[in-house]
Amino acid sequence: PTIKLYKDFNICYILVDDDDEDEEDVERVSWSGEPVGSISWSVKETASSIRSGSEQSFPKIDTTPSLSKQGSGYSLSSLFKAKSKPGAFQSFSESFSDTSSRTYAPELRKPKSDGKDVVSDLSPEETVRRMQKGRAFSLEKFRSLQDKLLLLDEAVAVYDGNVITAVLIFLKKSLSKEILFRELMARDVALRHYVHYLKEMGEQKLLVELLKALGRTEDMALMHYKEHLNIKDESRRRDFLKSCLSLPFSQDDATHVQDHYTLLERQIIIEASDKKAVAEIFKKFPRKASILNMPIITTLYYSCFYHYGESEGTFSSPSNIRKTFRISEKQYILTALGARAKLKSWFDVDSLFNTKNWLGYTKKRSPIGFHRVVDILHKNSAPVQVLQEYVNLIDNPDLKLGGALKYKCHDIVINTYRDLKDRQQLIVYREKLERDSPEYRKIQELLNNVQIRWKN
Amino acid sequence: MAHTEWRDAPELPDFSLLKRLARDQLIFLLEQLPGKKDLFIDADLMSPLDRIANVTILKQHEVDKLYKVELKPIVSSSDQLCFLIRPRIQTVKWISDLVNADKVAGRFRRYKIIFTPQKFYACETVLEEQGVYGDVTTDEWNFYILPLDDDILSLELPEFFRDNFLEGDQRWVTTAGSALHLLQSVYGSFSKVYGIGRCAKMVYESWRELMEEGEQRTRQPEFAKVFLVDRDVDFVTPLCSQVVYEGLVDDLFRIKCGSVEFGPDVTSSDKSIKVMLNSQDKVFSEIRNEHFSNVFGFLSQKAKNLQTAYDKRRGMDIQQMKAFVSDELKGLKQEHRLLSLHIGASESMMKKKTKQDFQELLKTEHSLLEGFEIRECITYIEEHINRQVSMIDSLRLLCLLSITENGLLSKDYRSLKAQYLQSYGIKHLLTFANLRQLGLLEEQQAGETLTVMESKVGKLVNDKTVGKLTDAFSSLAKKSNFRALSKRLALVPKSGEEYDLRVPRDMAYVFSGAYIPLSCKLIEQVLERDGWTGLEEVTRMLNGQEFAVTGAPNPRNKTDAQRIVLVMFLGGCTFSEISALRFLGKERDTYYVKQIEYMVNIKLSI
């Protein structure tokens, strides 16, 4: 009998006593006649003619941490016939060891040797090698902790992530988690594979235990927090976020998670009342989407749009949101400006920047450059009069002139050129204006003014 | 387009062979499940599959209906279900659920999973655990490499970057090794292999193992050299805004698997059009590597020429007209169509790029690369975040700031992170955790402790047990080197010099003359020196892990193949890098074929 079923703890692998020649025969048949068969054929042909260890081969490079091999792994390999097949065709043999053993008559395969326990007597090196090639293997004999770890280290040493994970699955099933965790602590590569495997399998609980055992509490907290993304229902999500508050986040992240919870809590309240709101503004500008799960700044914008001027006591008021989430002045002004400009409430825009000094004069002051303010106003199609006022407030003379030119604030352009005593530019600019418009006449008057000493 | 002439560019290997190999293997695998069957295909395999086979071929092999894998319950009346998927646990779980549901319903079907490019034990374990191992047969379709263009090969593995660099899972190492092995089997041995990076080393080793147990081909090789480079050797380049045409198209419209979908704003109709972007498109092939500022002029000149060609019709007699229609008109029409598409695309680029204050963005990037007016840059980034404009651009700028500046000052890091979370959502604190893990966005550590740790790590690097430590500190050790590297390799040309983008003088043209991609500069230097000699300081700053090995002796006679270099980016590359390498190829009379894991366009959200 050439087909055996091995049971390694919970893992079963169908073992076929591979016979390389057999497989190649089958492959050849299946490929003959195909147009590409010739390519594969030629590859195969050369494959069998030139063997490994030829003088052409590339040298092994000195790769970093390689564990000390037990015994001589390499001499062992010579006992095994290296199966020469290019990677591209590996699957055929693969598919055969799978399907043929099942569907096709096993008698087709000549029992070549009766080496019953061949696969189970293999060294870690040979076992890993077989696993890499997708050939039959058995992990049954790796029972002592030392053997298991040798197997794992060998898998790591050949850089094959697939095999590393396969060994880890075996260890997961055959070692208590305390022992496994302990051993993984000193093996970073294996550990990262294990963590990734658990993530992909959705084994949240075990993962959290692992991270805890490793002392990676922040990672654990983040991992747990991430779960909220899978919760669609907002109240459940809020409750989940609340449960996250006690997790061992870093100090900063703890604040952010607290914000997240508070935000969603507020949003739920605001959403419930605004859904049935009847105020004028909601009719004039119907809401396009719900406010749930929006970022803080979007919420602030929303509140500046629909709830401007509400007293700080209400959750939906801009001032409450600003205070609760410690929003900087700059950020607040930017957001409020956007919202009020969108509504074309130029009065509100004005009052955002008005400050009174101790003499009682009103002065405009802004934490963001006025050129940026002008940009935003322009994007919300503010009229020229409004734009002009803010262009005038731009500090940098180049930006100011640029803004004035861009937004056609004629007076500013003309005055700037006048101050620069730039006659040529004035003449050029005059040509861009409509004849007999007030601006045109203004330039005309300036040019006729003999008192000015033009620089050109 | 002032292009230097191609000095008899060497003929590239015929990569269509790879497609044929893949197609024939797929057909073979389909035939393993005789009879009518429904085929379920992973969404991201659709386009690659399109490149090598079509529906007719599938139907010829008794595929009845085609479905996209959506991880939802299925409606199929077929008795045989075949799944063509990437080896992902989630997909295998979904299939197991289907099988189990059928079992409960007392329905008998045959199931087959074809994993591509290979299967993983973890996936098979799922089948086993779900009790369907045996009910489902599995196979591998070794579709490793998809030729995307004459000079671009792709593994089309979008998860490569994340799995390898973020999760530290080496599952794709052997895949990359097998891909190289396949190339070598089909196109002959390489004479020299260079590489840098941890993953590059592992790929080389995995490939070498395959070579040792496999065969060596004696045939004349079609490639001379291979260069393997890890993406994390150069994170700066993919963080910069692209300004060559192809790169811009990718940034704005996303080029997927060599094709792009132009929306209604480009096509000036109400439909979107899918366009293949490769050297077959004569208009595109002339502008793809050009700096964007040259493209419009070129296109309008082209349009004028086209008009002249059309105008030839006037004053033709019947005979001439007949000849014109049969010989030229079709070509002209085709060109006309392509031209109007690319003009539409550039128009739409102009619009979008001015709206987003693209010039300011570029200016900030250039300042960061130069290490100039950093405070102003931070203010700009802050405003960018505050205004809630493009989330990805904000993140790109933050990462660029961190990498070029050796991490952010603690107070900047905290304030920018807080503002980012306020603007784009608090859930992004997970994104920040990932970026920190990757070393892309970090908080500066107190200076003293750092140097002490660094020197310790240096000593311990060869000790396996401190692998964990090394890993934890590797990002620290990597720190701050961009400035020094940039200086040493002259990546940032002196500012103030005129740079004529129409006549590029070096690879910096792909970034408006402001920066030579680090990755490409390394490749240039190593090939010039035929190794790493003289670059010791550079490699030390890049965390070492460089190698250069000689394989097969050089063939007796110098052939074209000697000039062909295969560059493999492990973790993806950008179109800007491809353009830069094309430029280098022309200049050095060498030709580069790029093999990439996937086109990256840094996207590292949760």
Side-chain angles (χ1 to χ4, degrees):
Chain A
T2 55
I3 300 174
K4 303 190 201 93
L5 198 67
Y6 274 73
K7 254 195 181 314
D8 301 305
F9 302 89
N10 293 323
I11 313 174
C12 302
Y13 291 103
I14 308 284
L15 288 185
V16 180
D17 224 353
D18 294 29
D19 187 327
D20 296 346
E21 270 77 30
D22 261 9
E23 284 183 11
E24 285 194 9
D25 268 338
V26 184
E27 278 170 35
R28 271 188 204 137
V29 172
S30 61
W31 276 84
S32 63
E34 296 290 334
V36 161
S38 56
I39 298 166
S40 77
W41 245 96
S42 63
V43 174
K44 277 265 178 263
E45 286 300 276
T46 30
S48 43
S49 56
I50 308 167
R51 282 277 153 182
S52 61
S54 75
E55 67 292 329
Q56 291 190 332
S57 65
F58 278 91
K60 188 172 164 64
I61 48 172
D62 176 35
T63 34
T64 29
S66 165
L67 74 162
S68 53
K69 294 239 158 57
Q70 294 281 309
S72 88
Y74 287 104
S75 62
L76 248 184
S77 67
S78 57
L79 293 176
F80 280 83
K81 235 179 337 140
K83 186 167 178 257
S84 49
K85 58 181 174 184
F89 307 102
Q90 214 164 313
S91 72
F92 295 96
S93 50
E94 186 76 53
S95 71
F96 267 97
S97 48
D98 254 346
T99 46
S100 61
S101 54
R102 193 175 317 283
T103 15
Y104 301 94
E107 306 86 74
L108 282 176
R109 308 179 146 266
K110 303 166 284 192
K112 200 173 178 192
S113 70
D114 66 342
K116 259 183 201 152
D117 285 315
V118 170
V119 274
S120 60
D121 281 346
L122 295 175
S123 66
E125 287 87 354
E126 274 313 313
T127 305
V128 164
R129 207 146 289 221
R130 294 183 76 93
M131 291 171 85
Q132 278 189 286
K133 287 181 214 147
R135 292 164 75 183
F137 63 92
S138 157
L139 301 180
E140 187 186 45
K141 76 152 226 169
F142 297 95
R143 300 195 72 165
S144 73
L145 179 60
Q146 196 197 0
D147 283 349
K148 288 180 203 290
L149 294 176
L150 277 176
L151 186 67
L152 181 61
D153 291 341
E154 179 58 28
V156 170
V158 297
Y159 315 120
D160 191 327
N162 178 28
V163 175
I164 297 173
T165 307
V167 172
L168 285 167
I169 293 171
F170 164 68
L171 297 191
K172 178 173 181 252
K173 289 174 177 168
S174 64
L175 281 175
S176 85
K177 57 189 177 209
E178 288 77 16
I179 304 297
L180 179 57
F181 292 176
R182 187 190 73 201
E183 294 302 334
L184 285 178
M185 248 180 248
R187 291 172 169 79
D188 189 59
V189 173
L191 174 65
R192 295 184 75 180
H193 281 79
Y194 194 55
V195 169
H196 192 216
Y197 173 71
L198 293 182
K199 273 190 201 168
E200 290 195 304
M201 289 298 287
E203 295 201 35
Q204 198 69 16
K205 252 174 122 180
L206 190 55
L207 195 51
V208 167
E209 273 180 72
L210 171 63
L211 293 174
K212 216 184 244 170
L214 294 169
R216 285 165 52 177
T217 48
E218 272 183 45
D219 289 342
M220 183 201 86
L222 286 170
M223 183 87 57
H224 189 79
Y225 166 78
K226 189 178 179 179
E227 280 292 288
H228 84 267
L229 294 169
N230 302 326
I231 304 174
K232 291 283 162 282
D233 177 76
E234 63 266 12
S235 339
R236 280 193 45 229
R237 189 184 256 216
R238 177 198 55 203
D239 298 343
F240 180 85
L241 287 171
K242 193 174 183 184
S243 77
C244 288
L245 296 179
S246 55
L247 295 172
F249 289 106
S250 69
Q251 208 185 338
D252 276 1
D253 284 354
T255 321
H256 296 311
V257 174
Q258 171 72 54
D259 278 354
H260 199 170
Y261 165 68
T262 316
L263 179 68
L264 185 57
E265 193 188 28
R266 302 276 166 97
Q267 285 174 336
I268 290 173
I269 297 168
I270 297 172
E271 180 68 19
S273 93
D274 285 3
K275 238 187 336 204
K276 39 185 204 283
V278 287
E280 190 60 29
I281 180 110
F282 288 98
K283 278 182 215 146
K284 220 165 140 195
F285 301 97
R287 302 185 326 146
K288 289 198 187 83
S290 111
I291 192 63
L292 294 171
N293 298 317
M294 292 296 170
I296 293 174
I297 299 308
T298 313
T299 313
L300 177 64
Y301 182 91
Y302 174 95
S303 132
C304 288
F305 197 91
Y306 290 108
H307 300 278
Y308 205 64
E310 281 178 13
S311 72
E312 201 183 310
T314 50
F315 280 157
S316 52
S317 72
S319 40
N320 188 307
I321 292 173
R322 178 180 176 181
K323 207 169 156 198
T324 310
F325 299 106
R326 308 166 307 281
I327 291 167
S328 70
E329 190 198 7
K330 188 172 167 182
Q331 173 75 79
Y332 175 76
I333 298 273
L334 258 175
T335 314
L337 172 65
R340 299 325 284 171
K342 182 100 194 160
L343 287 166
K344 313 222 177 303
S345 310
W346 309 122
F347 177 78
D348 289 342
V349 169
D350 265 355
S351 40
L352 272 176
F353 300 104
N354 285 343
T355 48
K356 278 209 174 88
N357 67 8
W358 56 280
L359 286 172
Y361 292 117
T362 323
K363 198 180 174 250
K364 283 209 164 40
R365 208 178 55 82
S366 165
I368 42 175
F370 275 110
H371 65 285
R372 190 68 76 207
V373 175
V374 172
D375 264 359
I376 294 171
L377 290 172
H378 176 72
K379 272 180 192 143
N380 289 291
S381 30
V384 179
Q385 297 87 317
V386 176
L387 283 177
Q388 186 153 317
E389 189 184 347
Y390 287 91
V391 171
N392 241 334
L393 291 165
I394 299 176
D395 278 339
N396 180 321
D398 293 336
L399 282 177
K400 185 173 175 175
L401 183 59
L405 285 167
K406 193 166 162 195
Y407 304 120
K408 302 202 167 48
C409 305
H410 304 308
D411 275 348
I412 300 177
V413 176
I414 296 167
N415 292 342
T416 310
Y417 286 145
R418 184 198 58 199
D419 296 346
L420 290 170
K421 311 228 183 306
D422 196 334
R423 208 166 74 99
Q424 294 305 321
Q425 289 291 356
L426 268 183
I427 295 172
V428 173
Y429 198 70
R430 184 181 59 179
E431 299 315 309
K432 290 180 191 155
L433 300 172
E434 232 172 279
R435 237 165 217 287
D436 289 332
S437 60
E439 298 83 23
Y440 189 92
R441 267 180 276 138
K442 186 173 172 187
I443 296 183
Q444 208 59 29
E445 275 164 33
L446 281 172
L447 291 175
N448 293 336
N449 188 335
V450 287
Q451 309 240 303
I452 305 175
R453 286 194 195 165
W454 301 105
K455 71 168 183 191
N456 48 24
Chain B
M1 307 278 111
H3 266 156
T4 41
E5 278 302 303
W6 291 81
R7 277 178 293 166
D8 62 326
E11 196 148 317
L12 285 172
D14 177 14
F15 292 129
S16 62
L17 272 178
L18 295 171
K19 291 192 192 180
R20 270 169 51 200
L21 269 171
R23 180 175 57 227
D24 290 337
Q25 199 199 355
L26 178 64
I27 289 169
F28 173 83
L29 290 172
L30 288 174
E31 282 173 353
Q32 297 296 297
L33 190 65
K36 274 210 181 306
K37 57 213 158 242
D38 281 357
L39 185 62
F40 292 77
I41 306 172
D42 243 346
D44 56 353
L45 275 176
M46 299 283 224
S47 303
L49 186 61
D50 258 344
R51 287 298 120 77
I52 57 149
N54 52 35
V55 179
T56 325
I57 291 179
L58 295 179
K59 298 262 167 188
Q60 275 165 4
H61 296 88
E62 300 183 275
V63 170
D64 192 16
K65 292 198 187 75
L66 280 168
Y67 299 95
K68 188 156 89 181
V69 168
E70 288 178 306
L71 308 183
K72 283 187 219 145
I74 58 157
V75 267
S76 164
S77 52
S78 180
D79 287 337
Q80 302 200 89
L81 305 182
C82 188
F83 302 88
L84 186 57
I85 59 168
R86 292 273 181 225
R88 294 186 188 122
I89 284 177
Q90 214 192 1
T91 323
V92 178
K93 276 190 171 167
W94 167 73
I95 295 170
S96 308
D97 289 347
L98 291 182
V99 177
N100 277 324
D102 278 354
K103 275 188 185 173
V104 170
R107 164 147 210 179
F108 177 79
R109 300 200 233 223
R110 294 182 71 184
Y111 314 89
K112 183 187 193 70
I113 301 180
I114 301 174
F115 291 107
T116 187
Q118 65 189 103
K119 55 180 156 186
F120 288 143
Y121 287 108
C123 293
E124 290 182 299
T125 309
V126 171
L127 293 176
E128 188 183 332
E129 285 176 352
Q130 299 300 316
V132 297
Y133 193 98
D135 298 305
V136 180
T137 55
T138 59
D139 251 324
E140 273 183 340
W141 178 32
N142 301 124
F143 180 29
Y144 291 120
I145 304 170
L146 175 69
L148 285 179
D149 205 340
D150 295 346
D151 61 351
I152 307 177
L153 305 173
S154 170
L155 303 199
E156 286 299 306
L157 289 175
E159 55 255 77
F160 190 104
F161 180 80
R162 196 192 169 98
D163 285 349
N164 193 75
F165 294 102
L166 181 62
E167 306 288 356
D169 190 322
Q170 301 163 3
R171 54 167 61 148
W172 303 113
V173 166
T174 41
T175 317
S178 305
L180 283 172
H181 189 63
L182 169 66
L183 281 177
Q184 175 159 290
S185 311
V186 180
Y187 301 106
S189 301
F190 308 100
S191 56
K192 197 100 197 208
V193 183
Y194 313 95
I196 182 160
R198 224 170 78 85
C199 185
K201 257 188 175 175
M202 295 193 285
V203 168
Y204 169 76
E205 274 301 308
S206 146
W207 169 37
R208 194 187 53 79
E209 294 268 319
L210 284 171
M211 267 190 285
E212 270 189 5
E213 68 205 33
E215 85 299 342
Q216 294 286 322
R217 306 206 64 195
T218 40
R219 56 166 298 184
Q220 195 74 282
E222 294 186 55
F223 290 109
K225 295 165 178 177
V226 191
F227 197 106
L228 306 174
V229 55
D230 277 20
R231 182 70 275 175
D232 67 354
V233 166
D234 174 13
F235 272 147
V236 172
T237 307
L239 290 169
C240 297
S241 297
Q242 308 200 64
V243 285
V244 285
Y245 184 72
E246 191 168 10
L248 260 175
V249 172
D250 185 42
D251 273 357
L252 283 179
F253 306 101
R254 297 298 292 124
I255 298 176
K256 279 190 205 126
C257 203
S259 85
V260 70
E261 193 164 332
F262 284 134
D265 54 330
V266 171
T267 58
S268 45
S269 66
D270 49 358
K271 299 192 290 261
S272 293
I273 299 181
K274 244 189 166 173
V275 192
M276 293 282 288
L277 294 178
N278 54 35
S279 49
Q280 304 297 310
D281 176 339
K282 291 291 170 252
V283 177
F284 177 68
S285 68
E286 282 189 80
I287 55 174
R288 65 196 307 183
N289 300 315
E290 287 297 320
H291 189 273
F292 181 62
S293 59
N294 300 334
V295 168
F296 223 62
F298 173 82
L299 289 177
S300 60
Q301 184 55 47
K302 196 101 184 152
K304 273 181 209 143
N305 297 348
L306 195 64
Q307 188 60 48
T308 323
Y310 272 128
D311 286 347
K312 275 202 313 198
R313 283 176 302 185
R314 285 194 206 130
M316 279 183 182
D317 61 31
I318 291 283
Q319 273 310 314
Q320 286 168 323
M321 185 64 96
K322 210 169 151 190
F324 175 80
V325 170
S326 65
D327 302 338
E328 287 177 57
L329 195 59
K330 200 172 159 226
L332 289 178
K333 281 242 165 92
Q334 167 78 355
E335 201 179 327
H336 187 161
R337 197 182 66 86
L338 293 170
L339 199 55
S340 55
L341 267 178
H342 289 298
I343 288 177
S346 350
E347 270 174 353
S348 142
M349 273 175 200
M350 297 265 239
K351 252 184 254 160
K352 284 187 189 148
K353 286 305 183 187
T354 48
K355 201 161 118 198
Q356 272 185 24
D357 308 298
F358 193 48
Q359 292 307 322
E360 260 181 279
L361 181 79
L362 287 181
K363 206 184 121 212
T364 306
E365 283 178 13
H366 295 171
S367 297
L368 289 174
L369 291 168
E370 248 182 288
F372 184 63
E373 296 186 329
I374 298 303
R375 266 299 126 194
E376 281 80 351
C377 292
I378 293 178
T379 312
Y380 176 79
I381 297 173
E382 202 170 65
E383 271 186 29
H384 201 271
I385 293 170
N386 289 163
R387 283 156 59 211
Q388 286 188 300
V389 277
S390 165
M391 179 159 88
I392 289 294
D393 281 348
S394 292
L395 210 50
R396 269 196 317 112
L397 287 168
L398 283 175
C399 294
L400 196 59
L401 172 68
S402 169
I403 289 197
T404 53
E405 279 297 294
N406 171 28
L408 276 63
L409 290 177
S410 216
K411 83 175 166 46
D412 289 333
Y413 178 83
R414 287 191 191 160
S415 133
L416 287 167
K417 178 176 170 183
Q419 295 184 62
Y420 192 93
L421 300 185
Q422 288 185 340
S423 275
Y424 304 111
I426 295 164
K427 62 181 178 191
H428 286 291
L429 65 92
L430 296 164
T431 310
F432 277 78
N434 285 346
L435 292 171
R436 179 190 283 244
Q437 166 80 30
L438 282 165
L440 270 168
L441 181 51
E442 292 177 302
E443 195 175 339
Q444 272 174 19
Q445 308 295 322
E448 284 248 320
T449 43
L450 177 68
T451 40
V452 175
M453 279 179 192
E454 254 185 294
S455 64
K456 270 191 191 157
V457 169
K459 281 178 215 143
L460 296 174
V461 133
N462 287 321
D463 188 344
K464 187 177 171 69
T465 50
V466 293
K468 192 179 163 218
L469 262 178
T470 322
D471 246 50
F473 294 133
S474 65
S475 48
L476 297 187
K478 221 184 275 176
K479 290 210 150 184
S480 104
N481 295 335
F482 179 74
R483 293 265 174 270
L485 278 168
S486 160
K487 215 166 165 189
R488 188 123 269 264
L489 292 169
L491 299 179
V492 177
K494 283 190 198 78
S495 60
E497 276 176 46
E498 270 306 303
Y499 197 102
D500 187 353
L501 291 167
R502 274 167 307 179
V503 195
R505 61 166 182 262
D506 55 26
M507 293 186 283
Y509 94 93
V510 301
F511 291 116
S512 311
Y515 164 65
I516 298 175
L518 170 58
S519 52
C520 304
K521 187 73 181 184
L522 275 180
I523 293 164
E524 178 204 80
Q525 289 294 312
V526 169
L527 291 172
E528 212 163 74
R529 294 155 197 263
D530 191 24
W532 295 92
T533 334
L535 294 171
E536 290 80 6
E537 201 182 331
V538 171
T539 54
R540 194 184 51 78
M541 289 190 276
L542 289 169
N543 256 2
Q545 310 281 2
E546 80 283 1
F547 60 91
V549 284
T550 310
N554 278 334
R556 299 144 298 276
N557 50 337
K558 281 244 166 191
T559 56
D560 271 358
Q562 287 301 296
R563 291 156 51 198
I564 302 180
V565 179
L566 177 79
V567 179
M568 188 178 200
F569 285 93
L570 297 156
C573 83
T574 63
F575 285 104
S576 299
E577 283 164 314
I578 294 183
S579 293
L581 288 179
R582 283 190 184 123
F583 176 84
L584 188 65
K586 261 184 279 178
E587 216 185 30
R588 297 294 145 96
D589 202 16
T590 309
Y591 207 88
Y592 295 87
V593 173
K594 300 93 198 168
Q595 183 171 15
I596 51 179
E597 298 319 324
Y598 198 68
M599 288 295 170
V600 278
N601 207 311
I602 288 279
K603 211 169 35 184
L604 295 163
S605 295
I606 9 170

